Amino acid sequence: MSFSSVHFKYLCGKSTVHGIIKQTCAAIWMVLKERVMPEHTESMWLSKAAGFLDKTNFPNCLGALDGKHIQLHKPPFSGTRFYNFKKFFSTVLLALVDSNFCFTVIEVGGYGSSSDSNLLQQSAFGRRLHEGSLHIPPSIALPGTVEPAMPYVFVGDEAFALSPNIMRPYPQRNLTLVKRVFNYRLSRARRVVECAFGILASKWRIFHTAMHVSVDTAELIVKCACVLHNLIRLQDERIESDMLTNPFPALQHQPYHSARQSMMVRDQFAAYFLSPEGSVPWQLESV
């Protein structure tokens, strides 16, 4: 509902409605953030990786990255900073999602004109990833192998820059079978973030229209929706686990790596996905 609709229905002033919504969203975010979106420890990251291996057959994966444009009415005096390539004004929700479609990390408020890669570099999550302060587990051999030790990674689309901890698809030109299989396997892991955005928008219909609020208020609304989304997902998971009687199961510095080393990591994943230890029966039919 618009603020005007709430104003007429409950006989409250529009400014009062705005204040109530803004304060309520801020309170929900503050109360639920640590409960449903806590800072991850090494053991928590390992649990995320186990979920991706079980559900998407992608080993050493800690989460799927992507950005979602949240449509806004043009913010005053903003020029074209919020005008995106889709030809509307927006702020960006940059999210890391786990295999249960829950948001692990979110960053809200980026300009719609900025790329996902730039938003990641400027975000607190991106800076901590570069500094090596995310408690990411040390490298380990992929399942069924003894070497080499492979880093834990986040998967994303072509909008993100390749690095040892961020895997993106191979460019879609003259792909060999190995590269096509890698792109297919990565897309299976990356689709969870697209599904999470779809569930979020379906549950909270405010994402189906442009928000006629300030950027700060839009940021609070998005944060509130994300933690409520997680709360519902976690509650559904507990119910499902009870029904099935099968519950889900120190800072490490990450030095700078060259682009060549990042490509070597991706190539090693690609080779693993065609090996007897890492292949899945249906992958050749899907590429």
Side-chain angles (χ1 to χ4, degrees):
M1 298 176 67
S2 67
F3 287 171
S4 296
S5 299
V6 178
H7 155 68
F8 284 113
K9 185 171 183 178
Y10 295 100
L11 302 179
C12 293
K14 292 182 182 179
S15 60
T16 303
V17 172
H18 178 271
I20 290 172
I21 291 173
K22 189 171 183 179
Q23 291 171 20
T24 302
C25 288
I28 291 173
W29 165 254
M30 292 300 295
V31 170
L32 291 182
K33 179 181 182 298
E34 293 303 320
R35 177 180 172 186
V36 301
M37 208 180 294
E39 181 174 349
H40 274 46
T41 62
E42 183 175 314
S43 62
M44 295 169 71
W45 284 124
L46 290 173
S47 177
K48 301 294 185 186
F52 270 95
L53 180 60
D54 180 52
K55 296 181 180 179
T56 71
N57 305 109
F58 200 108
N60 289 26
C61 181
L62 301 178
L65 276 167
D66 203 2
K68 176 178 175 60
H69 287 273
I70 308 299
Q71 190 171 358
L72 302 173
H73 284 273
K74 183 181 183 300
F77 312 111
S78 62
T80 59
R81 288 177 295 177
F82 290 94
Y83 193 68
N84 63 41
F85 69 97
K86 297 181 179 181
K87 310 301 182 184
F88 61 82
F89 293 93
S90 67
T91 186
V92 179
L93 163 62
L94 183 68
L96 177 69
V97 175
D98 67 15
S99 60
N100 191 42
F101 312 116
C102 287
F103 296 104
T104 305
V105 179
I106 61 171
E107 297 276 351
V108 192
Y111 295 137
S113 60
S114 299
S115 68
D116 288 348
S117 184
N118 286 337
L119 291 173
L120 177 63
Q121 292 177 4
Q122 297 166 8
S123 68
F125 174 79
R127 291 193 298 270
R128 293 190 62 189
L129 177 62
H130 180 70
E131 295 166 358
S133 59
L134 284 176
H135 306 274
I136 293 177
S139 300
I140 188 173
L142 299 178
T145 66
V146 294
E147 61 179 14
M150 297 289 288
Y152 283 89
V153 299
F154 305 99
V155 295
D157 59 16
E158 296 86 349
F160 295 97
L162 182 68
S163 77
N165 291 115
I166 297 180
M167 291 291 100
R168 55 168 285 175
Y170 286 101
Q172 300 291 332
R173 292 182 181 178
N174 302 320
L175 294 182
T176 63
L177 176 62
V178 173
K179 293 180 179 180
R180 293 203 308 273
V181 169
F182 173 84
N183 284 0
Y184 164 68
R185 296 288 293 273
L186 183 139
S187 70
R188 291 189 72 241
R190 198 189 66 80
R191 66 184 178 182
V192 299
V193 67
E194 300 289 353
C195 292
F197 287 152
I199 295 169
L200 181 75
S202 178
K203 182 72 70 175
W204 314 111
R205 303 303 294 274
I206 192 170
F207 294 110
H208 287 213
T209 185
M211 297 187 192
H212 203 165
V213 296
S214 67
V215 176
D216 290 342
T217 302
E219 180 178 339
L220 284 174
I221 292 172
V222 173
K223 287 180 175 180
C224 175
C226 287
V227 292
L228 290 174
H229 167 94
N230 276 15
L231 185 69
I232 294 169
R233 294 296 306 172
L234 292 172
Q235 184 63 35
D236 289 345
E237 181 180 305
R238 292 191 194 99
I239 294 172
E240 181 180 352
S241 299
D242 291 340
M243 292 174 63
L244 299 176
T245 64
N246 183 27
F248 285 97
L251 297 186
Q252 179 185 354
H253 177 63
Q254 300 287 338
Y256 173 78
H257 296 274
S258 67
R260 178 176 295 180
Q261 185 165 0
S262 302
M263 289 187 285
M264 287 177 59
V265 171
R266 182 169 64 180
D267 291 343
Q268 288 168 341
F269 270 107
Y272 175 77
F273 290 147
L274 268 184
S275 69
E277 296 81 11
S279 63
V280 292
W282 63 86
Q283 64 186 22
L284 294 182
E285 299 175 2
S286 302
V287 298

